Amino acid sequence: QAQLKALRGLSYFYLVTLFDTPVYYDETNVPTDALKSYRNGTREQFWSKLEADLDFAIANLPASWPNQDLGRITSGGAGAILGKALLYKHYHYYLRFDKANTDEAKANIQKAKSVLNNVIKSGNYSLIKPARKTKEHYQAALLCNFSFVVQRYTKLKTIKNLFTKYSTTIIREPIRTFLHILWGVICFRSIFLLTKAAIVIWLLTLRYGTHLNQ
């Protein structure tokens, strides 16, 4: 249940930050008719529920899992999500609606600070470190550290193997996609310019060809 609530809290966070006031439902009012129109929820519903879900997850999840369960969310993972969500709430909600100086907004920031400090000082987590001292591995570690809180293990071989396996893909695939997009843009622009030049030549031909015939 704690893992599910952590994931639901994360989902609510994405919903409220990306879509502002999408349709809201929880375990008490799950939609049953796909063709029915449902009213949008409120921002307060999403922020309150995600905070409650992640508080529950922090209190009921273990700080670490055995190696065979690598990848399951931990209390520190839930704490990192909550801390991030509360910081986003300050900008997406309190500052946006001129509530930044209220006691509620100040308490929100203090809770974010407290939750994140608990994760940092717990000693159970650390940043992902490059498996090798190469540019690609440092870049991959930097990208991963934006998104993941890694559980510390007495044997880091498992994490290093996973990191080595996927770090090259993390770096190369976005670059390959970017180059494909860039090539497409260049080709499109070239075709556009050639078409434009052809139209100009055709118009000039019509104009001056008419004068020559006269």
Side-chain angles (χ1 to χ4, degrees):
Q1 187 181 9
Q3 292 182 76
L4 290 173
K5 287 199 172 187
L7 294 175
R8 186 173 67 176
L10 178 61
S11 299
Y12 283 148
F13 168 69
Y14 285 132
L15 285 170
V16 73
T17 54
L18 294 176
F19 302 105
D20 198 29
T21 56
V23 174
Y24 172 87
Y25 60 87
D26 56 21
E27 66 276 11
T28 64
N29 61 336
V30 178
T32 55
D33 186 355
L35 299 178
K36 181 180 177 180
S37 295
Y38 293 90
R39 290 186 177 183
N40 288 20
T42 64
R43 301 176 188 91
E44 291 78 9
Q45 283 178 308
F46 284 97
W47 288 117
S48 297
K49 192 66 173 181
L50 75 85
E51 185 175 346
D53 279 350
L54 291 167
D55 279 335
F56 180 88
I58 293 169
N60 291 278
L61 284 172
S64 63
W65 293 90
N67 285 350
Q68 63 266 26
D69 288 321
L70 178 65
R72 291 181 180 272
I73 192 165
T74 62
S75 58
I81 296 170
L82 178 58
K84 177 180 178 179
L86 294 176
L87 291 177
Y88 268 66
K89 183 181 180 181
H90 187 77
Y91 293 98
H92 279 259
Y93 182 73
Y94 293 115
L95 280 175
R96 180 182 174 189
F97 298 105
D98 297 323
K99 298 180 179 180
N101 293 321
T102 63
D103 291 338
E104 182 181 332
K106 293 175 182 177
N108 176 79
I109 284 292
Q110 287 301 316
K111 182 173 181 178
K113 179 180 178 181
S114 176
V115 169
L116 292 173
N117 273 333
N118 289 340
V119 175
I120 294 168
K121 295 178 180 179
S122 68
N124 294 318
Y125 311 98
S126 63
L127 295 176
I128 294 176
K129 298 178 181 179
R132 292 194 293 271
K133 293 182 178 180
T134 64
K135 178 181 178 181
E136 289 77 13
H137 281 77
Y138 276 105
Q139 288 175 329
L142 177 64
L143 289 173
C144 289
N145 283 325
F146 279 114
S147 304
F148 301 110
V149 176
V150 178
Q151 178 181 328
R152 268 184 209 245
Y153 289 90
T154 51
K155 294 182 179 179
L156 292 176
K157 186 175 181 181
T158 305
I159 292 201
K160 285 184 178 179
N161 289 342
L162 287 172
F163 178 77
T164 304
K165 180 178 179 182
Y166 294 111
S167 61
T168 303
T169 304
I170 290 171
I171 293 299
R172 288 183 179 174
E173 287 304 319
I175 294 175
R176 186 178 302 170
T177 302
F178 171 75
L179 291 176
H180 286 167
I181 294 172
L182 180 62
W183 178 248
V185 170
I186 292 172
C187 291
F188 175 78
R189 183 166 179 79
S190 299
I191 293 171
F192 173 76
L193 292 174
L194 289 172
T195 304
K196 185 177 180 180
I199 292 172
V200 170
I201 293 170
W202 177 67
L203 291 173
L204 290 173
T205 302
L206 287 178
R207 181 177 180 180
Y208 292 105
T210 302
H211 288 300
L212 288 174
N213 289 335
Q214 292 176 352

